[in-house]
Amino acid sequence: MRFGLVLTLCLYVAALTGSALAATPRIVGGQEATAADWGFVAALETKHGSSFCGGAVVAPQWVLTAGHCRLYSASAVQVVAGATDLAAPNRQVLMVDRQLRHPLYRQPVKGAPRADLMLVHLTSATTAPVIPIATGTKAPAVGTLLHVAGWGSTAYSSRDDTYGPGVTLLRQTAVRVSPADTCATAYGTKAFATAAMFCAALPDKDACAGDSGGPLVSGAGASGILVGVVSWGTGCALNDYPGVYSLAAHNRCWIESTIGLPGAPDVALATDDGSLVVNWESSKPCVEATDPTGFRIRIAETGHQIDVGGTVRRLDLAGLVNGAPLTVLVSALNINGEGPAASKTATPGPNLVTAVEAVWSAYRQVTTTFVLAPHATDVQWRIEGGSDLKFKAAPWQVAPAASEPTIISFARSGVPRGRQLEFRIATFDGAITSTTERIELSVATPPVAIRRPHLRGTAAVGTTLHCDLGHWSGTRPFVVVRQWLRDDQALADQTAATFVPRTVDAGRTVACRVTISGPGGIVRRTTSGLVIAS
Ligand code: ARG
């Protein structure tokens, strides 16, 4: 099973081999590897326990491997971490929930993948040790001695281009960094094309099919440093074809930004009346850096916490307690957790009170509405109404300390008709006297009949007459009163919408007088009269 998988995986490599060499099977390189030296090693397996790629534990929940090792969905893959013997009964098997390829990964072109790296996220932390990633950006000096390990083929036959079976016990070999031109000559500059790859080889020693994704390290054991990741090559251990590795150091920014916590964002705060506008930029250490999945915004003083998505860069916080400085903390979130927060402090401008509206609520009656922002102490308020800057104050009232906005509605009657009024609110909470909010009342227009009131029905004793109001324009609300008239005289108690003439009404003229009272004035209209038939 293992052999079959490995073979298909490296078919593109096999296809490259033009000339068949002697059928001497060559070994990857010799020795069994010890757990003491390779504690950070990991194997990618199918759920049947068939290993198909190597890897290295770079954080308790992250394994670095090759991009071309994404052969199955995350749920179909398991990781054995920290074990050299894949059959050991006590080996640690971990589940995978994410396989993140390097953003620049490209499928193999002429056998050569680009940015051939992938980070595999484990659903739980491994106890296996973590290997640090080499610093700098370049490959180690030509000739540097490194070691590679894996469970891949121990033999390759160039005669029939076949790979031997993989192993259950981890094997390792030494290799030396090759000159870049040797590699470019061997594979061509189209295949071996970037500063993010390098080659390593030693006679008869090499990584082979199934070793992909495995670690190439300098030093050993606790002092081991991850230098490369097994990527590709023609055959295995062929004299003219050194093994090709992804250069770990070159990709350190992508690796660290993916396996670590996001950095503190850059935060800017702008204040407005009772509000704070928070703007931030995510700190991106490099273009390939993995973006945060979200941001968390907190107000230290109020305990407010808001989580937003990874594409959001601005938040407007309104209705805040004013007059006191507020500290806003912004942190970025990713799969690993919450990064450090950046904080900025600012004081929103005073806006204890906000005017909402002043409307005519009835004839000579006005209702004004204000909203008091949440306030920590009792707030005194009073409405002042008037015109031409001459305001008459209503008595002070107390709004108890509240964590929610308080709505203040104040209805005032007896407002003289036709006068343009203004209302304002003054507040006092011990420390702050708010700027007075002022709202103006709209000019009220008088009622005007668009269709005049009229009577409906037959003018006969015992038959119902209806007093239709017609249609009116003008500032609402209207208060409507009907009065039935007989020969122009008001009939006591006859103010309903309907009237039924009696014998006493026969031969007399009946009409309905309609009075419409609106904020803009009072208008009376009488319908044309009807003579009641007996
Ligand atoms: N592509 C192979 C794999 O998927 C690894 C190739 C390494 N070959 C070499 N000659 N170093 O396992």
Side-chain angles (χ1 to χ4, degrees):
M1 185 65 177
R2 169 173 302 137
F3 179 46
L5 281 168
V6 159
L7 197 64
T8 50
L9 192 65
C10 282
L11 273 183
Y12 65 88
V13 176
L16 256 183
T17 321
S19 60
L21 298 187
T24 327
R26 299 190 177 235
I27 54 168
V28 168
Q31 315 109 69
E32 217 167 83
T34 65
D37 284 345
W38 298 91
F40 50 81
V41 79
L44 266 54
E45 292 186 344
T46 65
K47 286 279 152 100
H48 306 291
S50 166
S51 92
F52 57 89
C53 270
V57 176
V58 290
Q61 277 184 267
W62 289 99
V63 166
L64 182 65
T65 182
H68 77 264
C69 290
R70 193 171 77 189
L71 300 176
Y72 309 98
S73 63
S75 60
V77 175
Q78 62 188 26
V79 165
V80 177
T84 52
D85 179 359
L86 294 182
N90 62 345
R91 72 199 192 283
Q92 204 183 355
V93 181
L94 300 123
M95 299 301 119
V96 169
D97 60 2
R98 247 165 260 225
Q99 302 182 101
L100 307 177
R101 270 178 174 163
H102 191 288
L104 301 178
Y105 173 80
R106 286 291 117 75
Q107 297 288 344
V109 177
K110 298 213 178 268
R114 293 291 156 79
D116 192 15
L117 291 172
M118 176 164 75
L119 281 162
V120 171
H121 185 250
L122 309 175
T123 59
S124 55
T126 169
T127 53
V130 163
I131 184 165
I133 290 147
T135 53
T137 53
K138 292 203 173 73
V142 171
T144 304
L145 189 74
L146 303 170
H147 288 86
V148 61
W151 292 273
S153 305
T154 55
Y156 168 73
S157 160
S158 58
R159 167 172 288 184
D160 48 4
D161 192 24
T162 54
Y163 295 83
V167 293
T168 305
L169 297 176
L170 184 68
R171 296 184 77 77
Q172 63 148 43
T173 181
V175 283
R176 284 190 191 278
V177 175
S178 320
D181 351 331
T182 309
C183 233
T185 309
Y187 293 111
T189 47
K190 285 218 170 77
F192 184 78
T194 107
M197 305 174 183
F198 70 105
C199 287
L202 269 180
D204 296 341
K205 296 178 196 296
D206 195 7
C208 199
D211 290 329
S212 277
L216 176 67
V217 304
S218 73
S223 59
I225 288 172
L226 189 69
V227 174
V229 172
V230 177
S231 180
W232 56 282
T234 295
C236 302
L238 300 178
N239 280 337
D240 296 333
Y241 293 99
V244 188
Y245 297 83
S246 300
L247 180 54
H250 186 88
N251 298 288
R252 209 172 61 250
C253 181
W254 169 71
I255 297 168
E256 285 174 355
S257 67
T258 307
I259 69 176
L261 295 173
D266 292 332
V267 180
L269 270 192
T271 59
D272 203 343
D273 283 2
S275 73
L276 285 175
V277 179
V278 192
N279 279 282
W280 63 90
E281 271 313 316
S282 122
S283 60
K284 228 171 148 59
C286 55
V287 278
E288 327 81 82
T290 302
D291 289 321
T293 53
F295 295 94
R296 177 162 292 164
I297 295 89
R298 266 186 296 240
I299 304 180
E301 290 77 6
T302 66
H304 278 89
Q305 177 178 310
I306 300 145
D307 282 355
V308 297
T311 56
V312 180
R313 293 290 180 273
R314 176 198 163 108
L315 186 68
D316 289 17
L317 300 161
L320 300 167
V321 180
N322 57 332
L326 292 174
T327 300
V328 177
L329 299 122
V330 183
S331 55
L333 309 167
N334 69 11
I335 180 174
N336 305 301
E338 181 185 349
S343 80
K344 279 267 155 62
T345 300
T347 306
N351 90 318
L352 191 56
V353 65
T354 311
V356 178
E357 60 176 7
V359 291
W360 293 97
S361 46
Y363 178 60
R364 298 181 66 153
Q365 180 187 293
V366 168
T367 300
T368 55
T369 307
F370 296 88
V371 174
L372 281 182
H375 41 101
T377 55
D378 292 355
V379 166
Q380 298 190 53
W381 61 270
R382 69 181 184 197
I383 303 279
E384 300 172 346
S387 61
D388 307 323
L389 297 176
K390 285 190 222 100
F391 288 92
K392 213 176 136 230
W396 284 103
Q397 317 246 10
V398 172
S403 55
E404 294 297 316
T406 313
I407 293 164
I408 292 175
S409 269
F410 184 86
R412 185 160 149 193
S413 327
V415 177
R417 128 181 179 222
R419 277 267 294 283
Q420 177 59 9
L421 286 191
E422 291 172 305
F423 289 86
R424 64 186 189 185
I425 187 168
T427 54
F428 178 74
D429 69 354
I432 305 151
T433 306
S434 85
T435 46
T436 298
E437 277 286 330
R438 175 181 299 188
I439 39 183
E440 284 182 27
L441 193 55
S442 64
V443 180
T445 59
V448 173
I450 298 168
R451 211 174 89 219
R452 307 186 50 172
H454 55 276
L455 295 181
R456 280 195 281 114
T458 310
V461 169
T463 311
T464 302
L465 280 176
H466 190 94
C467 178
D468 190 309
L469 297 174
H471 279 305
W472 296 83
S473 67
T475 306
R476 271 143 224 273
F478 291 151
V479 175
V480 176
V481 176
R482 289 183 179 88
Q483 174 64 60
W484 291 91
L485 310 174
R486 182 201 293 137
D487 291 342
D488 295 330
Q489 290 299 114
L491 289 169
D493 298 330
Q494 296 300 336
T495 55
T498 55
F499 175 72
V500 184
R502 292 172 296 147
T503 346
V504 65
D505 299 307
R508 311 182 71 173
T509 304
V510 166
C512 172
R513 187 174 69 206
V514 172
T515 306
I516 305 281
S517 317
I522 299 182
V523 174
R524 270 202 183 108
R525 284 267 181 271
T526 304
T527 65
S528 350
L530 291 176
V531 181
I532 307 300
S534 47

